[in-house]
Amino acid sequence: MNKAKGLEVSLAIAEAVKQADVDVVAAYPITPQTHIVEELSVYVANGELDAEYVPVESEHSAMSAAVGSSAAGARTYTATSAQGLALMHEILFIASGLRLPIVMTVANRALSAPISIWNDHGDIMSERDIGWIQIFAENGQEAYELTIAAFKIAEDHRVLLPICVNVDGFILTHMIEPINFIDQNEVDKFLPPFKPALTLDPEKPVTMGPVGVPEVYIESRKQCEQALINSKAVVSEVLADWGQRFNQKYRLIERNGAASPKTVFITMGSMGETTMTAVKELEESGQSLGQVRIRLWRPFPKEEFLDAIKDVEEIIVIDRALSPGSHSGPVAQEIKALLYDQPQKPKIHNIIAGLGGRDVTVKDFKKMYEMARNNELDPNYTIWGVRSDA
């Protein structure tokens, strides 16, 4: 790697897409992902990236164009956020159902109403069952590197599924961080040219996405489900390869802190770094704590997660999204269901925090830990920081 360079994370992601040598970028601007596709349009206009840039009229059209270009055999990229992701909803299922290896950055942002341009995970949690591989980045370096790795995962013929890299809006997208960029020659060795398994070709016509009558629909959905489950092994393999080449290890589930902690925080995305600061400070005061980070959200790496919490007495699951009318947040729902059949399981606390960009500080995490120990949290879930006059 070269010397670190201070750069806005959105621009680092655009650099990753350029280094991946994409063929097509189809995008519609929406805050806070706009800087990514704006920078890519400059690369294409300047001739730095030999690609087709398709400025569409909506996110529905962006994903539709991405489906078409990927089906034609082009390495394809797009990015979106919040209401834009919701507008793509119909086409997201088509991309996974047709097994098209599109790579998309989701700059996570709260859904309206009320209108909010700030971060939470409400947008992607509403799309957790779209059949895409879903990865979360914790900082700018991860966002840059996982974007390149995403192309190799998606295009592997054992996978052939779309993948989204989640990056917390503003907290990461607009943050200037020191980024270690990888030499283009090394990227080229890691990521070979895209070789599609099947393409739309006027000379050899094929049908993609025909009617799924009842006699075949279930089998089709089962194949997609199995492909997503099987992709976990390839995600692990590609990230291990990345670690060997570039000395940056990424695990599907990562555990930090004390060797045998009694309590661990469960986090996803950028909040993990703040949590870890709190964990370290609490450890210095004699507390036994740790942190488990979920990097791969879909498919959920259940074996790796169970191994990460096998000796833990208590977990505090931090959700950055609300699941209205449910008994807990979406990440806590996943974990509670997973642990239901386990002979030994830790006590589970669920805190929903940071909605709509509300700050969650080191002091907050220390308070969460104190309340968990004193059994002062709601047995289902606690929405953190709600003012008493709300």
Side-chain angles (χ1 to χ4, degrees), residues 134-200:
Q134 300 183 24
I135 294 178
F136 277 78
E138 185 172 280
N139 55 47
Q141 188 68 40
E142 285 193 21
Y144 163 72
E145 297 188 12
L146 293 175
T147 298
I148 298 173
F151 286 98
K152 188 163 185 174
I153 294 167
E155 295 171 2
D156 190 300
H157 282 204
R158 294 168 293 173
V159 176
L160 291 176
L161 283 170
I163 180 170
C164 60
V165 179
N166 290 277
V167 180
D168 283 342
F170 283 113
I171 296 172
L172 289 183
T173 57
H174 286 57
M175 183 65 65
I176 296 176
E177 293 189 18
I179 307 290
N180 284 296
F181 290 96
I182 297 167
D183 183 82
Q184 183 65 56
N185 291 330
E186 295 302 315
V187 172
D188 292 342
K189 292 176 184 175
F190 171 79
L191 181 64
F194 177 34
K195 294 182 179 178
L198 193 64
T199 62
L200 292 175

Side-chain angles (χ1 to χ4, degrees), residues 268-280:
M268 293 170 66
S270 64
M271 196 180 280
E273 294 199 339
T274 311
T275 311
M276 201 53 217
T277 301
V279 166
K280 288 179 180 176

Side-chain angles (χ1 to χ4, degrees), residues 26-132:
Y28 186 81
I30 180 171
T31 302
Q33 70 84 14
T34 303
H35 289 187
I36 302 172
V37 295
E38 202 172 58
E39 184 75 354
L40 284 168
S41 73
V42 172
Y43 287 149
V44 174
N46 290 345
E48 297 177 68
L49 174 61
D50 183 16
E52 291 293 328
Y53 189 94
V54 188
V56 293
E57 72 278 18
S58 74
E59 287 86 355
H60 189 281
S61 298
M63 185 49 60
S64 298
V67 164
S69 66
S70 185
R75 178 170 283 169
T76 302
Y77 174 81
T78 188
T80 192
S81 179
Q83 246 65 24
L85 182 64
L87 188 52
M88 287 181 173
H89 179 76
E90 174 190 357
I91 314 300
L92 295 173
F93 291 89
I94 295 174
S96 58
L98 294 182
R99 307 284 301 276
L100 301 172
I102 299 162
V103 173
M104 175 167 66
T105 301
V106 179
N108 298 123
R109 173 187 137 181
L111 289 165
S112 304
I115 293 175
S116 171
I117 61 171
W118 292 277
N119 169 252
D120 69 29
H121 294 166
D123 54 0
I124 193 61
M125 289 302 159
S126 299
E127 307 291 350
R128 61 182 173 177
D129 294 329
I130 54 178
W132 288 47

